[in-house]
Structure formats: C-alpha cells, structure tokens
Amino acid sequence: MIIVDDLKALSKPQRSAFIASLLGWTLDAFDFFILTFIVKDIATEFSTPGHKVEVSAVSLGIALTLMMRPLGALVFGWLADRFGRRPILMLDVLLFAGFELLSGFAWNLPSLLVLRMLFGFAMGGEWGIGASLTLESIPPKSRGVVSGILQEGYAFGFLLASLLNLFVHQIGWRGMFFVGVAPALLVLYIRRNVPESPAFEAVRERRRLARLNRPAPPELPAASRAAAIILHTLLALMALFAAPLVLAMRGDVSEQAMATALLVPVGVAALLLFNAYGGRAKGAEAIASHCGFVLRSVWLALVASVLFGLILFSVSKPLKGLGIDRAVVVQVAAVLLAGWFIGRAVFGLMRAFASQGFRAIDPTGFSGALGSRWPLLLYVVILMTAFNFFSHGTQDLYPTFLKVQHHFAPGLVSTLTIIGNLGAIVGGITFGALSQKIGRRRAIALAAVIALPVLPLWAFSTTPLMLGAGAFLMQISVQGAWGIVPVHLNELSPDAARGTFPGLAYQLGNLIASGNAVIQAGIAESRGDNYGLALALVAGSVAVILALLALFGPEKTGVSLVGGEAPARE
C-alpha cells in the first residue's frame, strides 16, 4: 500500500517526530474532550442548597478554552519560530498537561473556568508547532499521508476520551482530569528521540548571517524620530479608553465600561507596527513610512476590535450569571496593555534620541515574513473559518439531533458518534494520501463536495442503520478535507513564521466559527426542533463555499520547507 510504503520510507528521526506530533495532538484533544463528558457531574458537585450551578455555566469552560486557543497559537508559535520547535513543543505539552491536572483540584466554578482558560492557551500552541516539526522533517512525497494521519489525532483523542468516560462512575470527574496528566510523559519521548526541525535550523542560520552582515542603521531626522514616538505614545494612551462596539450596541454596560476598550486593539496594532515600520529611512521616506504605519494600525485595529467584541459578546451572559463584572475585566486588561505600550514608547524615545535608530523590519524574522503577506494570512483565516464551520457544523449538535429529534438512548448516541469518528479517520488518511497525487486544492474540493450527495442520508434518515451509514460517510467528507489542512498550511506558510502561521490561522478560524452551535440551534428551534434541517443547511452551504475557496486559492504542493519558497501554483 502507498500509505504503508510512505511511512516505511521515513528515517528513525523523522518517524520519531511524526509519532511525537501525532501523540501530542491526540492527547491534546483527549484532554479537551474530557470536560465535554463531565459538565453535568461538575455542575452537580459545585451546586449548594442556596445556589444551583447550571450546566450552561460549566459549559462556559469549553467556550473559554476555544477562545484562548488563538492567543496560545500566537505566543507559542512565535516562541517556536524564535527558539525552535522542539523545546517549545515540550514546554507546551507540560503546560497543557499541568493545567489539566490542576483542573481536578478546582474548588469552585470560577477556579475551574480560570484553569480551563489557561489550558486553552496552552492547547492553542500544540497543533501548529507539532505539525511544523513533523512536516519540515519528512520527505515531500510523504507529506500528504502524514498530514492525513496527524489531523486525525483529534478523532483518536475523542475516542480515548469516550473510552475513559466509561469509568467516570469509578474514578469521578476529578479522576478524569487526573488521568489527563498522562501527556506529560510525552516530553520524555520528545527529549530522547526527536531532533530539531532542519527547516528551523536553516532559518536560524540565515538569521545569524543576516545579523553579521547588517549595516549600522542611519540616524533619522529628529523631527521624524519625535513624530514616531509621539504617535506611538498617543496610541498607547488611547488603550486606556477602550471597549468593543458590540457591548455598546447591547446597551447593558455603563458608559465608562464602553469607553474603556474601544481602542485597545489600536494599541496592539501600534506595538506590532512600531516594531515593523520604525524606520531606517530619512526625510520623505520616513514620512511615507509613518503614513503607512498609521493606515495599517487602523486596519488591524478594526479586525482586532471585531474579534475582541465577539469574544466578550459570547461570554457576557455566563459572566454576569457568575457575578463577574465584565467592565472590571475589560478595564484591568486595558490598563495593563496601556502600561506596557507606554513603557515601550518611553524606551523607544530613549533609543531614538541616543541616535541608535529604531528596530527596522527584519526580513528573516516574524514581522518580515508576514509584513508583505497579510493578504495570504487573511485568505487562510477565511479558509479556516469555512473549515471550522464544516467540522463544527456536522459535530457540535449531532448528539442533540439524535437525542431530541430521534429520541435515541445515550448508548445509541455514543455508538453513532463513534461510527462517525471512524469515518473521520478513514477520510483523513485517504484524502491526505490522495492530495499528494492530485494536489491540495483539488483534494480539498473533492472531499468537500462529497458531503452534498450524503446530506439526505445523514440528516433526514429515520433508522439507526441509515443514520450510522450517513455519519460514517459524512465524516469521511469532512475529515477528508481536514486531513489536508496541516500540510497545505505548512506549505503556504513563510519559512520564518511556520511555527506561528498555520496554528494562528487555524485557531482564528476556529474562534470566528465558535458561534456555529448557536446559529444551528436557532435554525432548529425556529423550525420546531428540526435539527436535521439545521445541520443540512449549514453543512451543505459550507461545503460549497469551502470547495470554491480551496479551488481559487494558492497552492505549493511539494515546495521545499527548508531552503526557501517557491511560487504558488495557479
């Protein structure tokens, strides 16, 4: 078989990297899904005679985990691009396993929610780093197969959590979290068997040579230096007056709270762009650079404002139910951000008037890698939003569809869900291997459109046998497309940002699609609890959108991940 031959072709270090990444993603998903099985048990234990904890309040822990994943992808990805895939992957695994263990010691619901936020932060880093470490290490001809197997680590993790759930009455919900510390043992395997990515070693060498050959920065005119510092300081001060427009539209927060966070994202954009565009230019070039700096700040601020607003909008009701003042949370975050930005501005002012110049954009670093590629990043985030709607749209409310619309017993619901996950594993591996022959775009589009003829069987059947067949075939389609994601994103990624780019795009798409369950539930309830119709509408429409996005996007199948970049295939 082609799949077996490709795996046999891997050397021992390559096989070790693959195994470590697969186990990391499997155990990461295992730890995540544990909470989904025990929300009712947690709500029961934390309830008191005077205060009942609702299941929805505990479920906030799942939402917070998902919302923190983009931040983890950004932070751990940046660290992996700077210090190496291997050490940061070990750190990340230790952190998410540690937060999983601590979740078992939570003494009340707020403490559990904080720990799940921290777990989500650590979880966000694993996928991108693990995929990069593996795909940068293996031969190009094996990437499709390996990508398909890697992505289905998520399905393997779900199956492991399902099996552990059989023992919940013996070990309790806290014991479930204690078992979740097992991934920490993976660090010993990585440390002993997994070498650093050769692509990262090549990028690190290019950076070293670039630093040695970099000329001293010319001094900017005093007026330009002062203008840049003043602009940066003003943007930092504006972070003290921020709150998303979404909260203002709700009308349920004070004017002070609404004025506390409107421009926090501007401060974030200012910091990023100050570092990227603080110039080595003189005169008119410096002025043009600062104009571009302001325009890009506004653009990034708008994007960040929408994302920040969506997060607070999603958690507003649960936070209020827990007695947590959202305004205080926003104000504390704004003050901390503003203090950091102002400190950076003062430091920059000292450097500028010491005639040392600002840090210019580094073409071998993260800012240099993404500075001219923001359209690519935007496209990939949109693509991953469609991918996440495709997966969540066929998974999140599927058990509810079986329970509410078909009145199936829990055992039958679990059986049908497991059948779907078996189809997911088959689809991911099959289409991952196929993408090596027909290309990433065509394989994604083909897998997506297979969902269309399967929709009637999957969403509108009435017998368990037919529904099981539909679940199996639908997940072949969904996870067949998903199996190509790791290799496709890594091949599109700039060399110097490959630890960050794939994971950040994936998690941002996941964040934007996090409202899927609410959308589908609203459609179903408005049609008399017709969940089959809601599932079919979302899955069918997204399948078409995903296929079109993939077909008309870029592709770099087989590009070298070590020695530079090749033009995208048209």
Side-chain angles (χ1 to χ4, degrees):
M1 290 179 61
I2 296 175
I3 295 174
V4 175
D5 291 340
D6 283 345
L7 293 179
K8 284 183 176 179
L10 301 180
S11 65
K12 183 177 179 180
Q14 293 167 346
R15 195 176 300 117
S16 297
F18 165 60
I19 292 172
S21 299
L22 176 62
L23 289 176
W25 187 225
T26 298
L27 295 172
D28 198 346
F30 167 68
D31 281 0
F32 170 75
F33 279 113
I34 282 175
L35 179 59
T36 67
F37 287 100
I38 56 177
V39 289
K40 183 72 167 62
D41 304 89
I42 296 172
T44 300
E45 179 167 330
F46 285 156
S47 295
T48 62
H51 175 66
K52 180 182 178 182
V53 175
E54 300 291 343
V55 170
S56 59
V58 181
S59 298
L60 177 60
I62 300 173
L64 291 173
T65 298
L66 295 174
M67 291 173 184
M68 289 296 290
R69 279 163 61 172
L71 181 59
L74 177 62
V75 172
F76 287 104
W78 178 80
L79 290 172
D81 283 326
R82 184 164 184 176
F83 300 107
R85 320 292 190 227
R86 180 173 173 270
I88 303 305
L89 181 61
M90 289 192 290
L91 172 64
D92 188 70
V93 170
L94 282 176
L95 285 175
F96 80 69
F99 290 132
E100 184 79 357
L101 173 65
L102 292 175
S103 296
F105 293 101
W107 57 93
N108 56 22
L109 183 56
S111 65
L112 177 66
L113 295 180
V114 170
L115 288 168
R116 299 318 290 175
M117 288 179 64
L118 294 172
F119 170 78
F121 172 71
M123 181 184 182
E126 200 285 332
W127 183 89
I129 301 174
S132 298
L133 175 63
T134 300
L135 294 168
E136 288 175 338
S137 303
I138 64 174
K141 68 183 184 67
S142 301
R143 286 180 196 160
V145 170
V146 169
S147 174
I149 299 174
L150 274 182
Q151 185 58 36
E152 296 323 306
Y154 204 68
F156 284 121
F158 179 82
L159 289 176
L160 288 176
S162 301
L163 293 174
L164 180 63
N165 186 53
L166 298 175
F167 303 95
V168 66
H169 295 301
Q170 286 76 31
I171 64 177
W173 68 265
R174 295 183 185 274
M176 296 272 282
F177 283 131
F178 294 156
V179 175
V181 76
L185 299 175
L186 179 61
V187 172
L188 300 177
Y189 179 83
I190 297 173
R191 177 170 167 68
R192 181 181 178 85
N193 298 284
V194 180
E196 183 54 84
S197 158
F200 172 76
E201 297 286 7
V203 170
R204 179 159 57 184
E205 179 62 17
R206 290 202 297 270
R207 287 176 182 164
R208 187 185 69 82
L209 294 175
R211 283 195 299 269
L212 292 176
N213 298 324
R214 183 178 300 162
E219 181 181 351
L220 280 171
S224 296
R225 296 199 305 268
I229 290 298
I230 291 172
L231 175 62
H232 182 64
T233 305
L234 288 176
L235 290 173
L237 289 170
M238 289 161 72
L240 290 169
F241 304 95
L245 293 174
V246 179
L247 290 182
M249 294 171 62
R250 287 178 58 86
D252 60 353
V253 294
S254 66
E255 291 184 2
Q256 181 184 10
M258 288 188 295
T260 308
L262 180 58
L263 293 174
V264 162
V266 175
V268 177
L271 178 63
L272 294 175
L273 290 161
F274 176 75
N275 284 334
Y277 290 92
R280 295 167 178 263
K282 294 185 177 182
E285 293 181 4
I287 296 174
S289 176
H290 297 324
C291 288
F293 163 76
V294 174
L295 291 175
R296 288 174 175 81
S297 294
V298 172
W299 180 84
L300 284 178
L302 290 174
V303 175
S305 294
V306 172
L307 294 177
F308 193 37
L310 285 173
I311 292 173
L312 289 184
F313 180 78
S314 300
V315 303
S316 58
K317 286 186 178 180
L319 286 177
K320 192 173 183 179
L322 292 172
I324 300 174
D325 188 348
R326 288 165 292 157
V328 172
V329 175
V330 173
Q331 288 169 343
V332 169
V335 169
L336 292 175
L337 286 171
W340 182 37
F341 297 150
I342 292 171
R344 288 296 298 261
V346 171
F347 178 71
L349 182 66
M350 294 171 60
R351 288 189 63 194
F353 285 99
S355 298
Q356 295 180 13
F358 302 123
R359 189 177 71 181
I361 188 167
D362 180 4
T364 64
F366 177 78
S367 298
L370 292 182
S372 61
R373 294 175 177 84
W374 64 265
L376 174 62
L377 178 60
L378 180 61
Y379 162 76
V380 174
V381 170
I382 295 172
L383 179 69
M384 294 313 301
T385 300
F387 262 109
N388 279 284
F389 266 112
F390 198 31
S391 57
H392 289 291
T394 57
Q395 296 169 356
D396 291 359
L397 291 184
Y398 187 70
T400 304
F401 160 65
L402 297 176
K403 292 176 184 177
V404 175
Q405 192 164 325
H406 292 283
H407 309 289
F408 288 163
L412 182 55
V413 171
S414 297
T415 300
L416 293 175
T417 304
I418 290 173
I419 289 173
N421 274 278
L422 293 175
I425 295 170
V426 172
I429 297 173
T430 302
F431 279 90
L434 182 62
S435 74
Q436 203 66 37
K437 302 296 183 182
I438 67 173
R440 315 303 182 204
R441 294 181 300 176
R442 293 188 182 92
I444 291 172
L446 177 61
V449 298
I450 286 176
L452 300 178
V454 174
L455 277 177
L457 180 66
W458 173 68
F460 302 118
S461 295
T462 56
T463 66
L465 179 62
M466 299 302 287
L467 286 167
F472 185 84
L473 294 174
M474 177 57 72
Q475 289 306 314
I476 285 180
S477 167
V478 174
Q479 295 303 320
W482 263 100
I484 306 163
V485 167
V487 64
H488 190 42
L489 294 193
N490 272 272
E491 288 176 336
L492 290 178
S493 174
D495 288 349
R498 192 167 290 114
T500 308
F501 185 93
L504 179 61
Y506 173 14
Q507 302 299 355
L508 284 176
N510 190 45
L511 174 62
I512 297 171
S514 62
N516 164 79
V518 176
I519 295 171
Q520 286 186 307
I523 296 173
E525 291 167 1
S526 68
R527 299 294 187 275
D529 285 342
N530 190 342
Y531 283 91
L533 177 62
L535 291 172
L537 285 174
V538 172
S541 58
V542 174
V544 174
I545 293 171
L546 178 59
L548 293 174
L549 284 171
L551 285 174
F552 291 98
E555 179 178 345
K556 291 185 177 180
T557 299
V559 67
S560 171
L561 300 185
V562 179
E565 302 175 35
R569 180 185 299 178
E570 300 298 336

